[in-house]
Amino acid sequence: MILYTSATDVAAALKIWTSYGLPEKFLRHLKFTGNPDTVVPSSFRLGLAAQISTGLAGLSAAYLHYLRTGVEQDVVIDARHAALSFHSEAWYTINDKIPSGDTWDSIAGLYRTKDDSWVRIHTNFPHHRTGVLRILGISDVPAPALRTEVAKAIKEWDSKALEDESAKSGMCVFKLRTREEWESTPQGKALHNTPVVEIKKVGEAERTKLRDTVNQARPLTGVKILDLSRVLAGPIAGRTLAAHGAQVLLVTSPNLPALPGIDVETSLGKHTTQLDLDSAKDREKFDGLVQHADVFLQAYRPGGLASRGFGVEDIIKRRKNGMVYASLRAWGWEGPWADRRGFDSLVQTATGFNADEADAFMSFQTSQGKSVDWAPKPFPMQAIDHASAYFLAFGINVALGKMITDGGSHEVRVSLAGVGNWIRSLGRIDATLAFGSEVKQFPKTRADEEIVSLSTTWLERRGKDGGEGRKMTALRHAAVFATTPVREGSLNGSDEDDWGAPMRLDADEPVWV
């Protein structure tokens, strides 16, 4: 095994690990392989971000396993594998075919504005598309609106004015900013000293053993997790915890739009059910699930669940034996944007990543004697979402450990913008190296030999009315455990607790198994 671990890399992981009171000596079990700065084309250290966040999620699971069993083990994270896993939604197939449909809405993306700036609009959900088009005065009937129409309408707006108008109706439109512009905003200042993961005790409870551990095969065996999240960070966090043995029940609403092309991959290893929390009957069923849950993971819009009586204080009161309440937001819990909706691509645009990446890429192109027009440059994957997912899993594992050592109930908070700040703290890569020939590009197809070699096969798990027996290939988990390998793929009929690929959001009854 070839290790590539610089002093900077070790310090970045060490600083996070020990800041939560975790033993420094346990870090010896975290092994990094490969050079993270040559695994993905970006001037930001996205390979290192993938390695550290995936590694800390894995190591925290290993530490939880140690607390429950006394068994220590190494966790190995390969840089290229971790980077590819930051784009996992792009690498799966169903019945050996690439799923149809685009994960991005036809009008989503970056547009020029009247003040010679840019905005990014996010319209992947139908109600967001409808709301943005209403602001722009464009009809989506009888024929769908075209990008050319949207571009023309946005060119009539100043970037800040369109951002402000969209905020009034809860729409997802954000102005392109440089890093300096972002850091001078009230929201940028509010997030300046926010830790990448916030963990705090929010209730009293006796220390727990997290159920019987005699036959514990994996770190989270016996742990029950309610997953109320959508696209991408929350679901990936739940998927990661399921890989470590937890029983994860993904609860979605039948009244909300879905993104099947993403949902099918991020729900691997989970059970899935649908409940309408505005229905008294379904609320009663949901309350029953909460009574026996160890973790409540939610990533809906700020205040959405709290307004229905499922905020952190409400949930903690329902669980006298202690539990973990974990939340994801786009912009954090302080500042004027705390309650605003947001997604990875919007955070990249608003906080300066797209502008900085564009500057670095233009510098590289100029050095190669090429003349190009400047344009915002997004990351090659939704890196902030994926890093946030693994930090959510890390925070949940740490909080579960605190329930064992100290007792109590604990709240875990992660924000996309806060994780973005952390990615910046890792430093930059010189443009010549970042976009040069030494850097590995992402595969162009899911049939690429590299993807195939890192993938595993899942079979559709039979749900409440049976399955169709479909087969799915998906990227394997990037954390390799020495003693308790992650739970993934299919067990050829010997399922230990009826897990697999649900392939749909309503595959199961709303019960713990």
Side-chain angles (χ1 to χ4, degrees):
M1 179 171 62
I2 301 175
L3 299 180
Y4 177 92
T5 309
S6 72
T8 300
D9 302 343
V10 172
L14 178 66
K15 182 178 179 181
I16 295 173
W17 181 262
T18 57
S19 68
Y20 299 99
L22 301 171
E24 182 177 341
K25 66 178 183 179
F26 206 83
L27 273 170
R28 72 181 184 275
H29 293 298
L30 181 59
K31 313 292 185 182
F32 290 159
T33 66
N35 183 344
D37 291 339
T38 59
V39 295
V40 58
S42 174
S43 66
F44 289 90
R45 302 192 73 190
L46 301 184
L48 181 59
Q51 218 172 15
I52 290 177
S53 58
T54 307
L56 289 176
L59 190 67
S60 60
Y63 183 64
L64 183 62
H65 187 255
Y66 164 72
L67 290 177
R68 300 179 75 185
T69 67
V71 175
E72 298 187 32
Q73 61 181 311
D74 287 349
V75 179
V76 181
I77 312 292
D78 176 71
R80 176 65 170 179
H81 192 171
L84 288 170
S85 75
F86 264 36
H87 199 37
S88 63
E89 65 275 11
W91 309 128
Y92 76 92
T93 65
I94 296 178
N95 288 342
D96 299 319
K97 296 180 180 179
I98 297 174
S100 59
D102 196 341
T103 57
W104 288 97
D105 180 60
S106 62
I107 64 169
L110 288 151
Y111 294 87
R112 283 186 177 275
T113 53
K114 184 171 67 174
D115 55 334
D116 199 28
S117 184
W118 298 74
V119 293
R120 175 179 277 278
I121 69 173
H122 194 287
T123 54
N124 282 6
F125 288 118
H127 60 294
H128 288 165
R129 177 183 173 110
T130 299
V132 169
L133 289 177
R134 183 170 57 248
I135 292 169
L136 297 176
I138 299 174
S139 175
D140 222 5
V141 292
L146 301 175
R147 289 189 68 88
T148 52
E149 296 178 85
V150 174
K152 182 178 179 181
I154 289 179
K155 204 68 170 64
E156 299 297 315
W157 286 81
D158 284 340
S159 54
K160 185 65 166 56
L162 183 55
E163 180 183 74
D164 291 342
E165 184 63 28
S166 299
K168 292 178 183 178
S169 53
M171 292 300 106
C172 297
V173 179
F174 287 85
K175 166 184 165 61
L176 178 82
R177 289 174 174 81
T178 64
R179 174 184 181 176
E180 294 74 20
E181 288 173 332
W182 165 249
E183 291 181 345
S184 68
T185 65
Q187 193 60 37
K189 292 176 181 177
L191 288 166
H192 183 63
N193 292 315
T194 301
V196 67
V197 183
E198 294 183 78
I199 305 173
K200 63 179 181 178
K201 186 176 180 181
V202 291
E204 298 295 334
E206 296 293 325
R207 288 188 296 177
T208 180
K209 292 183 179 180
L210 287 178
R211 301 188 177 87
D212 176 43
T213 61
V214 174
N215 299 310
Q216 185 183 338
R218 293 183 174 83
L220 276 75
T221 294
V223 176
K224 295 181 177 178
I225 299 174
L226 279 173
D227 181 351
L228 285 87
S229 63
R230 298 191 297 173
V231 204
L232 276 164
I236 293 172
R239 184 187 69 191
T240 302
L241 298 167
H244 294 310
Q247 182 183 162
V248 179
L249 180 58
L250 175 65
V251 181
T252 56
S253 170
N255 302 321
L256 292 177
L259 294 176
I262 291 177
D263 296 333
V264 70
E265 194 267 340
T266 58
S267 61
L268 291 172
K270 304 178 186 180
H271 285 218
T272 63
T273 195
Q274 292 196 312
L275 293 172
D276 179 2
L277 297 186
D278 291 325
S279 158
K281 183 178 178 180
D282 281 4
R283 283 174 64 90
E284 183 178 354
K285 293 179 181 179
F286 187 68
D287 271 327
L289 295 172
V290 172
Q291 294 295 328
H292 299 283
D294 300 296
V295 177
F296 189 100
L297 166 62
Q298 72 90 19
Y300 280 85
R301 64 176 176 81
L305 287 175
S307 66
R308 290 170 168 78
F310 298 108
V312 57
E313 294 181 358
D314 305 306
I315 295 296
I316 296 303
K317 289 177 182 177
R318 288 170 166 85
R319 277 287 291 167
K320 303 302 182 184
N321 295 331
M323 77 179 310
V324 176
Y325 190 104
S327 299
L328 174 81
R329 286 190 180 185
W331 309 104
W333 277 256
E334 305 293 335
W337 286 12
D339 293 332
R340 289 204 61 179
R341 295 175 173 88
F343 298 91
D344 177 308
S345 58
L346 300 171
V347 173
Q348 285 188 42
T349 298
T351 65
F353 283 113
N354 290 169
D356 285 349
E357 193 81 298
D359 288 343
F361 186 66
M362 175 163 275
S363 174
F364 169 73
Q365 294 286 70
T366 300
S367 72
Q368 304 300 302
K370 299 178 181 179
S371 177
V372 294
D373 293 330
W374 191 96
K377 186 171 178 59
F379 289 158
M381 69 284 215
Q382 302 289 282
I384 298 176
D385 255 333
H386 283 265
S388 297
Y390 291 110
F391 278 124
L392 265 174
F394 167 77
I396 289 168
N397 288 333
V398 172
L400 287 170
K402 289 182 179 295
M403 287 173 61
I404 294 174
T405 59
D406 305 326
S409 290
H410 302 268
E411 182 181 9
V412 176
R413 292 178 172 182
V414 173
S415 73
L416 299 182
V419 171
N421 283 349
W422 172 76
I423 291 175
R424 277 197 177 277
S425 75
L426 299 176
R428 302 286 296 279
I429 301 170
D430 180 81
T432 304
L433 173 62
F435 302 106
S437 58
E438 293 182 41
V439 175
K440 290 184 178 180
Q441 302 295 316
F442 273 175
K444 296 185 183 302
T445 72
R446 303 174 195 210
D448 185 274
E449 182 179 342
E450 181 180 30
I451 296 300
V452 173
S453 69
L454 292 174
S455 295
T456 189
T457 300
W458 297 75
L459 298 179
E460 184 173 18
R461 180 175 48 73
R462 296 184 66 83
K464 57 187 179 183
D465 57 357
E468 301 173 10
R470 290 174 294 176
K471 179 182 72 173
M472 180 174 176
T473 63
L475 209 63
R476 296 199 307 271
H477 197 65
V480 179
F481 282 59
T483 306
T484 60
V486 297
R487 189 175 66 176
E488 61 186 356
S490 296
L491 296 178
N492 298 319
S494 60
D495 292 2
E496 60 193 90
D497 60 355
D498 192 29
W499 59 273
M503 299 268 194
R504 46 189 282 191
L505 293 178
D506 61 348
D508 302 281
E509 296 292 345
V511 296
W512 296 114
V513 297

